[in-house]
Amino acid sequence: MTSTIDPKTIGKPQRPRRHVRTLTGYTPEKDASGKDQWPRGDEGVWRDGMRTVDKDVQAVTRSIVGHVQTSLARQAYNLDNLGAYQAAALSARDDLLVNWNTTQLTFTRKQPKRAYYLSLEFLMGRTLDNALLNLGLKDKFTDGVQKLGFNMEDVIEQERDAALGNGGLGRLAACYLDSSASQELPVWGYGLRYKYGIFQQLISPQGEQLEAPDPWLDNQNPWELPRLDVTYDIRFYGRADRLDDGTGRAVWHGGQEVLAVAYDVMIPGYDTASTNNLRLWESKPQRGFDLNSFNAGNYEGAVEASNSASAITSVLYPNDHTTCAPNRSIPIHFGKELRLKQQYFWTAASLADIMRRFKNAGKNIREFPDFVAIQLNDTHPTLAIPELMRILIDDEDLTWDQAWTIVTNTFFYTNHTVLPEALEKWPVPLIENVLPRHMQIIYDISMNGQVLLASNHVSDIQLTAFVEGQPKQVRMAHLACIGSRKVNGVAELHSELVQTTILKDFVEFEGVSKFGNVTNGITPRRWLDQCNPELSALITKTLKIEKSVWLKDLTKLEGLLPFAEDKAFRAQWSAIKQRNKERLAHHVQTTLGLIIRTDAMFDVQIKRIHEYKRQTLNILGVIHRYFALKKMTPEEKKKVNRRVVFFAGKAAPAYYIAKLTIRLIVNVARVINADPDTKEYLQLYFLPDYSVSLAEVLIPASDISQHISTAGTEASGTSNMKFCLNGGLLLGTVDGANIEIAEEVGENNVFFFGHLTPAVEDLRYQHLYHPVPIEEKCPPLAFVLNQISAGVFGGDGVYEPLLNTIRQSDYYLITDDFDSYIATLEMVDEAYLDKEEWIKKSIRTTAKMGKFSSDRAINEYAESYWNIEPVSIPTGGL
Ligand code: 26W
């Protein structure tokens, strides 16, 4: 299954041919002279001088038509879906702005303690549908665009995803922004306004992943407010001259200065006027153009400075869990230095902005931690710790101890992975060159023995340790840990592992009370109400409470439990699942031209491609099933469940084995889907260009989803929560949040397999020092691997490097978990044959997913970490 790509179109957004249509549904009023009176665009409802948000359909259409004319400068009679989207977006934006202004003004007046969520990634997806739902205007806008001759679904489809993230970490940040606003908590996000988000994935006929830039800002972005009035100069390179006054202060001067310009994105809460802010920084050259070098004939030089300045926020690094391997899609000299400059540019601009706001409140600097909490989303923003030290010591003239006390009471650090290759380590010479003052402070932190790096003897822990050979490297997880008030993992097992592995010495040295757990969550607005409106409506009808009640308190879903025993309700429940499967089939048909049968079990695994997530185990399981089907008699086949297997996910551009995995999946699909013996019973698809928007179509359609990482490797997972919330059953390993999901929904409603975390180390040892040939250890797997090597799925040996990772070290225990995986797949088959029982499991699963709302998680951060309170925002403006 490959969409034949015409190279000329690579990177260019494929916009369907323009369907111009007149604004049929709209008749302008006549003014006194009988001339058409077209509206001015901002037709909101005004009450006592303040613009309010509640408007009727009439006002909606007037507002949209107004924006067509005054914002888009287009004629009402030549509008296509994209134009209708832009006009509708601008109209919704007006409403967001009212609440946004009211919220910010309320914060300025009430001066509450605020929390700042520093994340290098925010995987927001599309905004229009979410904004209308949170504003409670979806129905009115749907009728409004209808009246103008457009279909809301088509209009929503016009928006490009804001894909400013790689995967779990970035999407979690987006869910947390939605929950913070919905819980009326004064939380701002700080990130980067990348010109290019995560690459667009194309699949070549051979099954290769090709990467194309994601010019998401091409059609302008109606959801951002350029704040050209909010800018900061950010310094790089130069020299840091210590003052010899014993204070440890220094003057950092010279080098290059880059301008940071703010762009604000409004984050509306659900069913509240509370609208928080996501501030994204863009880098610009201080001076557009270096006239002197130009006049001196050094034309390159003249633009060089500006290019290197704007390059800082040009592109998102597409690595997920891998810090090292330079990726081909980013020119070599960009490499690590640019990533370091991204991290400092963003943290320095954010801290300068936070400090300005704090100082405007006229409080004493020592009270900083009482009014500011800063969450470090993984180690990517760790430079904020030495940066705040620099500000407090060099600019605010505080002593080291005073500064350190403020720092270690302001920051909070969340770890999202224990995989060694994902833990950031920065070479000391690189930091010394790019950030000379910060390297001094990092050494000072180490010198002051306040932070140490793990070695056996607690006494001589040093931060700047020799990782291997030269140059020395700074372990950012250790700096983040020592510089933070509290450290947490993202699921119970993971938080345990953080304390017993990567930060073990710090638990010993600083005490366990500093370490905690906040299990991840997802926003039920986007991941149920928005992506599965039919199920949401059935839940509201069945629970006989306002939708806003259970959507803001997801534990109310437990009220569905008794209905699992209600046959009629079960019929409605599975009918909705069936229609969601047809919607997915329709989406795949229109986008990829493929016909998918919907009278089958939909089995889905969608996430970044990574060896630890074991998409390889899944595809080997599919091949095993294929050959089992081939051996069956037609009679036997009749008793088998029809199964459609879906994969989707991007591989980091330089991650060779991950790309081979995609290639294998695509070529296995080509063979299986064409095989007359089996295609009635088994279909396999790799859907290209996985995104938030594609997940919103795939997740409501799944019967079962796979979360089969090697135990102890997936910190939490969040797609597992999304599938189960939409009534999909979970097939997984005892890892991450799978464990807590099983605890909530009940062991007999999930399908678990595989070795447990404590066994992993030992099994890996066995592999290295007491290897057992696969033919002996797991004959069914050996058979499957040999079929691939034999070229059944083509590729003349191209898959050997992938197969050898299993035949040799098998670091992710494929050979050890294959048998129990296949056995559990058979149990799934068994279970699916009993339709009524399956639907009961599906209802019980959804009913018990209340814990996994990101509202619960954010309230935990607010109460037990940030110590911030909700601030109620007046609906009718101030
Ligand atoms: C430096 C390269 C890099 C980039 C991103 C290293 C590591 C990351 C992230 C931490 C990777 C990530 O997204 N981790 C995922 O975070 C989710 C949210 O907590 C968890 O649910 C996933 O289990 C975890 O893999």
Side-chain angles (χ1 to χ4, degrees), residues 550-570:
W550 65 265
L551 259 185
K552 276 210 268 196
D553 174 2
L554 210 56
T555 60
K556 290 274 189 305
L557 289 178
E558 290 216 24
L560 293 173
L561 279 174
F563 293 90
E565 310 318 316
D566 172 329
K567 192 162 177 34
F569 178 78
R570 289 201 299 270

Side-chain angles (χ1 to χ4, degrees), residues 516-580:
N517 173 59
V518 180
T519 296
N520 284 163
I522 57 171
T523 170
R525 274 70 72 179
R526 183 179 292 268
W527 296 111
L528 181 48
D529 187 42
Q530 183 180 324
C531 71
N532 201 340
E534 280 200 82
L535 195 65
S536 174
L538 177 64
I539 291 170
T540 302
K541 194 178 75 183
T542 308
L543 294 178
K544 295 189 179 48
I545 54 177
E546 278 298 307
K547 176 170 82 171
S548 59
V549 174
W550 65 265
L551 259 185
K552 276 210 268 196
D553 174 2
L554 210 56
T555 60
K556 290 274 189 305
L557 289 178
E558 290 216 24
L560 293 173
L561 279 174
F563 293 90
E565 310 318 316
D566 172 329
K567 192 162 177 34
F569 178 78
R570 289 201 299 270
Q572 290 177 65
W573 187 269
S574 74
I576 291 170
K577 180 62 76 178
Q578 190 56 35
R579 284 195 289 277
N580 287 333

Side-chain angles (χ1 to χ4, degrees), residues 168-169 319 321-323 339 378 380 416 520 612 714-717:
L169 172 136
N319 300 336
H321 281 92
T322 40
T323 59
R339 171 85 171 181
D378 213 86
H380 312 153
H416 294 266
N520 284 163
Y612 87 81
E714 188 70 87
S716 163

Side-chain angles (χ1 to χ4, degrees), residues 321 419 610-614 655 708-710 713-715 812:
H321 281 92
L419 293 186
H610 202 289
E611 286 165 279
Y612 87 81
K613 294 174 184 284
R614 300 204 294 188
Y655 194 172
I708 57 177
S709 52
T710 310
T713 60
E714 188 70 87
Y812 294 102

